[in-house]
Amino acid sequence: MAQCVQSVQELIPDSFVPCVAALCSDEAERLTRLNHLSFAELLKPFSRLTSEVHMRDPNNQLHVIKNLKIAVSNIVTQPPQPGAIRKLLNDVVSGSQPAEGLVANVITAGDYDLNISATTPWFESYRETFLQSMPALDHEFLNHYLACMLVASSSEAEPVEQFSKLSQEQHRIQHNSDYSYPKWFIPNTLKYYVLLHDVSAGDEQRAESIYEEMKQKYGTQGCYLLKINSRTSNRASDEQIPDPWSQYLQKNSIQNQESYEDGPCTITSNKNSDNNLLSLDGLDNEVKDGLPNNFRAHPLQLEQSSDPSNSIDGPDHLRSASSLHETKKGNTGIIHGACLTLTDHDRIRQFIQEFTFRGLLPHIEKTIRQLNDQLISRKGLSRSLFSATKKWFSGSKVPEKSINDLKNTSGLLYPPEAPELQIRKMADLCFLVQHYDLAYSCYHTAKKDFLNDQAMLYAAGALEMAAVSAFLQPGAPRPYPAHYMDTAIQTYRDICKNMVLAERCVLLSAELLKSQSKYSEAAALLIRLTSEDSDLRSALLLEQAAHCFINMKSPMVRKYAFHMILAGHRFSKAGQKKHALRCYCQAMQVYKGKGWSLAEDHINFTIGRQSYTLRQLDNAVSAFRHILINESKQSAAQQGAFLREYLYVYKVTAYFHSGIDIKTVF
């Protein structure tokens, strides 16, 4: 695989982070929108802690957490649609192209001197977006909300009363059976009360008074007064205030369907299966009564379209790049956070620190202790604990069934209080706070119980995360159990028929193998997940497999070129013409001038076609010319077809250079 900007030790903790919900009043949301940001977007650039944090595990041992990041998002009551996620991924790849003048690595292997891209940012963007867009699932808790920020404005008539309404609404969404989404980690969700104060327009004395009342009611560790500006200051014109939001909002611009206008918005309610449209916040009329208007459709909710040709991975899908371009072009005039000063940036950063230190981490530490105590006291886990004890002290090994010997009990659902789910919950919580030793122990125990019950979806999830936890353990880590990942991938793909989870496994395992220089194993894993159900995924994985072959200790140049050709073909089928052309050009370095005339003809013909489609007419003419100037082993009919293609493209190019309107030719 190509070199990545992040190491695997950075990638995984950044991909699995504690999730926090945000529930804002109308007035609080209006205040943040004056800076063209939602409340969750306001916090995003400052969501990583700048210092180490500490917590104690159930054994009262001090545990250090480095570079912890949290993910704050607005509550939505609709899960992301698979079609919308595919469109998002397609647009992300389309919008990420090699930079002009990008320096390539020169790799010498035998007679070959190859210029190869040092990095593949389109793949990294795809992987990051894929992992971030994973929905919350019932068999795991990694994307379930641990806490909820309740946000009201100091300018409201009765802010404390508004907090009570927000709290009731959060409780209703979490515990009402009408709402199956979003998912919550535990029944007793941490609620953190945030009073948002507009420094430029609000009454600061009143805000301080309300905050004192909040501290009396919710405790000093359960609330915070966050001050921001909503009016542009009279700073010097040459004073440059950084815009930390652009990198996040541009990256996810296709997701941002929140309107910063005062007009109404609509969502699809989760309460009815017939897709009833509710106005504004999507709440029932009888329960609105001053509650916030921020229950929108999921950011990955597709707009209804009657166009049956609006497919994602089909050969005719050519809209993605242009749609992303239009989205970006429409956003270029908007300055996010224009009213916020560097002091405001520091205030937001301090708020995240206080929330994490005083609210979130103590809540996580307490939850881990409670789960640990419950698991110790429950007799339901005695078989696992007894088996583990027997193994440790007697050295006996409990035989495990092969994956092929197990049946699929996909219909099995554990009740929320089941001991098996509690230990999985504890494992996920430990993983999110980087306590990989304890996480591995819990995953390993849960894996045995799930396999005994033949709950294959649950077992695959435990195997997947046990493998990652084993790799990330500090000190002298365990050998990476690649067979755990292989079993998880096979289970997800063949038994559970869930390609999304299988893909997540492959993306993680490939990075883990690559970090150990096991490029051959990583390539085989990536190739294994290519299939006909997604051309885009297959193209990206084949390209990464090609990079694995070229990065081996003894580079496999021809395998690299062959898989780049396969990747280019799948990119073309996915509508990613620029990436397809790039792959064919990379492969041409290997085939050119080696006597493989038929292969060279095919590549030149494809390069010519792709260049013509992309309006790179001179490149198209050059590629077609190369087919004709050398002695050919093609049939006469095929040579005639090549000649007709060349003459047509040459004529179009001549018209173009003579100034004739190209639209009259195409």
Side-chain angles (χ1 to χ4, degrees):
M1 295 171 72
Q3 298 175 7
C4 295
V5 175
Q6 285 183 309
S7 68
V8 68
Q9 286 80 8
E10 296 170 329
L11 168 67
I12 294 177
D14 273 7
S15 302
F16 299 94
V17 299
C19 295
V20 178
L23 187 56
C24 303
S25 69
D26 288 343
E27 186 62 23
E29 194 70 17
R30 184 196 65 79
L31 176 56
T32 59
R33 287 184 182 182
L34 294 174
N35 279 287
H36 300 291
L37 297 163
S38 70
F39 180 76
E41 291 169 345
L42 179 74
L43 305 182
K44 193 174 287 289
F46 311 100
S47 59
R48 185 187 300 279
L49 300 187
T50 56
S51 60
E52 291 184 354
V53 290
H54 303 84
M55 59 177 289
R56 293 194 176 273
D57 63 18
N59 295 322
N60 210 34
Q61 297 296 314
L62 196 65
H63 171 62
V64 179
I65 309 172
K66 299 179 180 180
N67 298 317
L68 180 66
K69 188 173 77 170
I70 64 174
V72 182
S73 58
N74 291 331
I75 292 180
V76 289
T77 54
Q78 283 287 324
Q81 291 184 344
I85 294 176
R86 289 197 299 272
K87 184 179 188 305
L88 169 63
L89 294 172
N90 210 35
D91 290 342
V92 164
V93 175
S94 294
S96 180
Q97 300 290 337
E100 293 293 334
L102 181 68
V103 178
N105 282 349
V106 178
I107 294 180
T108 301
D111 297 334
Y112 301 96
D113 290 319
L114 307 177
N115 290 314
I116 296 175
S117 301
T119 60
T120 50
W122 45 91
F123 172 74
E124 293 183 38
S125 296
Y126 173 91
R127 184 184 59 200
E128 179 184 356
T129 305
F130 174 85
L131 294 173
Q132 288 180 353
S133 63
M134 287 290 296
L137 303 169
D138 289 324
H139 75 283
E140 64 182 28
F141 303 91
L142 294 164
N143 291 333
H144 291 207
Y145 283 135
L146 277 161
C148 183
M149 294 179 180
L150 305 177
V151 188
S153 171
S154 62
S155 62
E156 303 193 47
E158 295 292 340
V160 177
E161 182 181 338
Q162 186 64 52
F163 280 127
S164 298
K165 291 181 179 180
L166 291 170
S167 179
Q168 292 168 13
E169 184 56 28
Q170 186 280 327
H171 185 274
R172 186 174 74 89
I173 293 172
Q174 179 173 355
H175 297 288
N176 193 320
S177 59
D178 289 336
Y179 292 96
S180 61
Y181 202 87
K183 307 288 185 184
W184 304 85
F185 208 97
I186 60 174
N188 187 24
T189 299
L190 169 69
K191 296 177 182 178
Y192 196 80
Y193 300 84
V194 183
L195 184 65
L196 201 60
H197 177 63
D198 184 356
V199 175
S200 57
D203 184 342
E204 188 156 351
Q205 187 174 356
R206 181 174 184 268
E208 293 289 350
S209 175
I210 296 169
Y211 183 48
E212 288 299 321
E213 184 179 352
M214 290 170 59
K215 287 193 287 187
Q216 292 294 324
K217 185 172 183 178
Y218 306 120
T220 56
Q221 297 185 344
C223 58
Y224 195 86
L225 172 60
L226 177 59
K227 301 177 181 180
I228 62 172
N229 276 288
S230 66
R231 293 179 184 172
T232 306
S233 62
N234 295 323
R235 56 176 176 261
S237 58
D238 59 344
E239 183 181 355
Q240 295 294 324
I241 299 294
D243 176 12
W245 292 275
S246 58
Q247 58 178 315
Y248 298 97
L249 300 182
Q250 287 180 12
K251 188 181 298 182
N252 300 311
S253 60
I254 197 69
Q255 302 182 55
N256 290 329
Q257 297 179 7
E258 295 184 13
S259 170
Y260 297 106
E261 306 293 334
D262 291 330
C265 58
T266 59
I267 74 159
T268 305
S269 172
N270 191 49
K271 297 183 70 174
N272 301 304
S273 60
D274 57 353
N275 294 332
N276 291 334
L277 289 179
L278 304 181
S279 63
L280 294 177
D281 53 9
L283 303 177
D284 290 333
N285 293 332
E286 63 269 19
V287 295
K288 271 186 185 176
D289 191 24
L291 291 175
N293 291 338
N294 64 338
F295 293 100
R296 303 172 183 83
H298 195 280
L300 296 182
Q301 184 85 16
L302 274 178
E303 295 180 1
Q304 297 295 326
S305 173
S306 59
D307 182 5
S309 66
N310 189 20
S311 61
I312 299 302
D313 279 328
D316 296 327
H317 180 69
L318 300 174
R319 301 185 183 89
S320 299
S322 61
S323 65
L324 183 63
H325 174 72
E326 291 300 321
T327 305
K328 287 185 176 180
K329 188 170 70 173
N331 288 339
T332 52
I334 297 176
I335 301 176
H336 299 284
C339 307
L340 301 176
T341 65
L342 292 177
T343 302
D344 290 317
H345 293 191
D346 291 337
R347 287 170 178 157
I348 299 170
R349 191 176 291 109
Q350 181 64 28
F351 161 63
I352 292 293
Q353 300 263 6
E354 288 292 313
F355 164 73
T356 308
F357 289 168
R358 296 176 176 269
L360 184 61
L361 285 179
H363 174 69
I364 291 176
E365 183 178 320
K366 177 183 175 183
T367 303
I368 291 176
R369 287 181 181 275
Q370 289 175 343
L371 288 170
N372 186 64
D373 293 343
Q374 290 174 18
L375 292 171
I376 291 175
S377 63
R378 285 178 187 255
K379 295 181 180 179
L381 281 182
S382 59
R383 61 180 182 182
S384 294
L385 296 176
F386 177 78
S387 299
T389 305
K390 182 179 179 182
K391 179 180 178 182
W392 291 335
F393 289 99
S394 67
S396 62
K397 186 173 182 179
V398 180
E400 294 183 7
K401 295 181 180 180
S402 165
I403 190 69
N404 296 319
D405 298 331
L406 295 171
K407 299 177 182 178
N408 178 24
T409 53
S410 57
L412 175 63
L413 281 177
Y414 291 97
E417 66 278 2
E420 294 85 355
L421 281 193
Q422 299 306 307
I423 197 165
R424 171 67 204 241
K425 190 176 289 188
M426 181 174 169
D428 285 346
L429 202 50
C430 293
F431 189 88
L432 291 173
V433 293
Q434 305 171 20
H435 200 320
Y436 300 118
D437 289 327
L438 187 53
Y440 173 80
S441 177
C442 293
Y443 284 128
H444 194 267
T445 302
K447 177 258 301 184
K448 290 185 176 181
D449 291 333
F450 293 139
L451 286 174
N452 286 334
D453 293 338
Q454 297 190 20
M456 299 313 298
L457 178 63
Y458 294 86
L463 283 164
E464 174 189 7
M465 300 312 297
V468 178
S469 300
F471 178 86
L472 292 174
Q473 284 179 350
R478 301 171 184 268
Y480 172 55
H483 61 289
Y484 277 17
M485 275 293 197
D486 292 340
T487 303
I489 294 167
Q490 182 183 350
T491 304
Y492 283 143
R493 185 187 61 186
D494 299 335
I495 297 180
C496 303
K497 308 298 182 185
N498 192 321
M499 289 298 290
V500 172
L501 291 173
E503 182 177 356
R504 183 179 70 179
C505 264
V506 167
L507 292 175
L508 295 176
S509 188
E511 284 299 325
L512 300 179
L513 291 168
K514 186 188 77 168
S515 69
Q516 303 171 77
S517 298
K518 296 181 179 179
Y519 291 105
S520 179
E521 293 89 338
L525 188 65
L526 292 161
I527 294 168
R528 205 167 97 193
L529 204 69
T530 58
S531 61
E532 292 302 316
D533 67 305
S534 173
D535 289 311
L536 180 62
R537 181 188 69 234
S538 298
L540 289 162
L541 297 186
L542 285 166
E543 183 183 13
Q544 293 304 306
H547 280 281
C548 287
F549 288 125
I550 204 66
N551 280 304
M552 293 173 65
K553 190 173 182 180
S554 298
M556 305 179 75
V557 179
R558 283 178 287 180
K559 276 199 172 185
Y560 162 79
F562 178 67
H563 284 85
M564 287 299 279
I565 292 291
L566 295 178
H569 175 64
R570 299 304 291 271
F571 271 129
S572 182
K573 289 181 68 178
Q576 301 280 349
K577 304 300 183 185
K578 289 183 179 180
H579 287 298
L581 177 60
R582 176 183 49 76
C583 287
Y584 278 103
C585 290
Q586 291 274 294
M588 191 58 169
Q589 299 177 88
V590 175
Y591 289 100
K592 187 175 182 180
K594 299 299 179 182
W596 298 330
S597 61
L598 295 178
E600 201 171 336
D601 286 350
H602 168 74
I603 297 171
N604 271 317
F605 180 78
T606 307
I607 289 174
R609 276 282 184 89
Q610 298 288 1
S611 297
Y612 177 80
T613 302
L614 294 169
R615 308 298 191 259
Q616 299 176 13
L617 300 180
D618 290 334
N619 290 340
V621 169
S622 176
F624 283 120
R625 183 187 294 119
H626 276 95
I627 303 176
L628 301 174
I629 60 177
N630 297 320
E631 183 179 349
S632 178
K633 296 180 181 178
Q634 303 283 359
S635 65
Q638 187 63 59
Q639 291 184 54
F642 287 157
L643 179 60
R644 286 192 298 272
E645 290 274 352
Y646 170 73
L647 292 175
Y648 177 76
V649 173
Y650 185 83
K651 180 177 70 172
V652 171
T653 305
Y655 284 149
F656 177 76
H657 287 306
S658 64
I660 297 176
D661 186 359
I662 198 69
K663 292 180 181 179
T664 63
V665 179
F666 284 106

